[in-house]
């Protein structure tokens, strides 16, 4: 069964600290993996997209890694800010149509305290 | 910032009412989608469209219907709302770039049926 599992479910950190969010997937075949940030009451916003051949991709203070062999990805946030408080969603796309079918994780709810 | 708009942002209505959730995008995207999301849960695809006069049902069974008469407009209608329809509804559109299809989300409509 194609699934995307994220951990932890929720995380609280202090402002300025780093954190790492995990994503494990069983989706096959695999096309790409995306990380989205979703603020409360808003739609998700894309942070990174990685294909099979990419091991790491950065977007400012966000760095995503991908190990396609173990089917694991992580999102590392450096020097966290209050505005980083949000849900971070891992999404995996299989092959097929140009978009493929998207499998969504339930997200990690990150809270950054001052 | 994605140019995709949803109205209303919040809607509270009584059981049995007919409602239409509006979604418009000014990016000229052919593909548009409707997702349903409950708190702490993953997004579920309920409808999608590959272009004008094209509509398909998604993975999650839904009593709603959609139409695509114009490229920029993809409204979702519930003929008779029930409390089980209470959820957040997210509209999205996608664009193919050099290597991947990028998905852009609206801010969502939070629907509460009493």
């Amino acid at each position: 069964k194609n699934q995307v599992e994220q951990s932890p479910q929720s995380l609280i950190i202090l402002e300025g600290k780093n954190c790492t969010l995990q994503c494990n997937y069983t989706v096959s075949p695999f096309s790409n993996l995306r990380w989205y940030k979703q603020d409360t009451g808003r739609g998700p916003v894309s942070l990174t997209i990685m294909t099979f051949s990419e091991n790491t991709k950065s977007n400012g203070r966000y760095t995503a890694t991908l190990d396609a062999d173990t089917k694991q990805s992580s999102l590392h946030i450096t020097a966290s800010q209050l505005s980083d408080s949000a849900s971070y969603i891992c999404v995996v796309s299989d092959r097929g149509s140009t978009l493929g079918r998207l499998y969504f994780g339930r997200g990690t709810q990150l809270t950054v305290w001052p | 910032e994605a140019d995709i708009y949803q109205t209303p942002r919040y809607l509270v209505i009584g059981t049995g009412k007919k409602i239409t959730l509006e979604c418009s995008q000014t990016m000229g995207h052919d593909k548009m989608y409707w997702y349903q999301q409950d708190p702490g849960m993953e997004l579920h695809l309920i409808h999608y469209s590959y272009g004008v006069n094209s509509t398909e049902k998604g993975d999650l069974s839904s009593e709603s219907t959609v139409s695509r008469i114009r490229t920029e407009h993809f409204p979702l209608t519930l003929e008779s709302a029930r409390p089980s329809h209470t959820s957040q509804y997210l509209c999205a559109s996608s664009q193919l770039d050099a290597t991947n299809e990028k998905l852009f989300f609206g801010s969502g409509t939070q629907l509460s049926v009493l």
Side-chain angles (χ1 to χ4, degrees):
Chain A
K1 182 180 178 183
N2 290 323
Q3 285 185 312
V4 176
E5 300 286 346
Q6 292 188 242
S7 62
Q9 184 177 350
S10 62
L11 180 63
I12 300 173
I13 62 172
L14 294 177
E15 186 179 14
K17 298 297 185 182
N18 303 334
C19 67
T20 300
L21 314 180
Q22 299 291 342
C23 174
N24 296 335
Y25 62 93
T26 59
V27 176
S28 181
F30 171 86
S31 177
N32 59 68
L33 185 146
R34 307 151 186 255
W35 283 95
Y36 285 86
K37 177 187 179 187
Q38 185 177 22
D39 293 318
T40 301
R42 312 288 293 189
V45 175
S46 179
L47 295 176
T48 63
I49 302 175
M50 290 183 292
T51 59
F52 184 88
S53 60
E54 297 176 292
N55 300 118
T56 184
K57 182 165 283 189
S58 293
N59 178 0
R61 294 180 296 101
Y62 301 102
T63 299
T65 64
L66 173 64
D67 186 335
D69 291 331
T70 62
K71 298 188 176 182
Q72 295 179 325
S73 176
S74 65
L75 180 69
H76 186 75
I77 304 174
T78 304
S80 60
Q81 300 176 358
L82 298 179
S83 59
D84 292 333
S85 294
S87 178
Y88 291 83
I89 302 172
C90 177
V91 185
V92 179
S93 175
D94 64 8
R95 285 192 290 268
S97 68
T98 51
L99 185 59
R101 176 171 172 178
L102 297 180
Y103 295 87
F104 289 81
R106 294 185 175 185
T108 291
Q109 182 64 49
L110 175 66
T111 303
V112 181
W113 282 3
Chain B
E1 193 79 15
D3 294 323
I4 179 165
Y5 307 100
Q6 291 186 241
T7 58
R9 286 293 313 280
Y10 305 94
L11 181 61
V12 181
I13 59 167
T15 297
K17 299 292 185 182
K18 177 180 178 179
I19 61 166
T20 296
L21 308 185
E22 302 288 349
C23 176
S24 295
Q25 50 96 4
T26 59
M27 298 173 283
H29 293 171
D30 287 327
K31 298 179 182 179
M32 296 189 73
Y33 313 82
W34 275 103
Y35 288 90
Q36 187 173 340
Q37 184 183 30
D38 293 319
M41 302 297 287
E42 63 268 47
L43 277 71
H44 290 286
L45 180 67
I46 52 175
H47 297 284
Y48 61 99
S49 167
Y50 284 146
V52 172
N53 295 325
S54 155
T55 61
E56 302 287 344
K57 288 189 178 297
D59 305 320
L60 183 67
S61 175
S62 174
E63 294 165 349
S64 58
T65 58
V66 292
S67 62
R68 191 84 184 278
I69 299 174
R70 304 197 315 266
T71 298
E72 62 271 21
H73 196 211
F74 191 40
L76 181 146
T77 299
L78 275 168
E79 291 293 333
S80 180
R82 294 204 304 269
S84 61
H85 296 138
T86 295
S87 187
Q88 183 178 39
Y89 293 84
L90 290 163
C91 179
S93 67
S94 67
Q95 173 188 32
L96 180 64
D97 70 5
T99 56
N100 290 298
E101 191 121 0
K102 291 188 175 181
L103 198 61
F104 299 90
F105 286 90
S107 294
T109 293
Q110 180 61 52
L111 173 65
S112 296
V113 184
L114 305 178

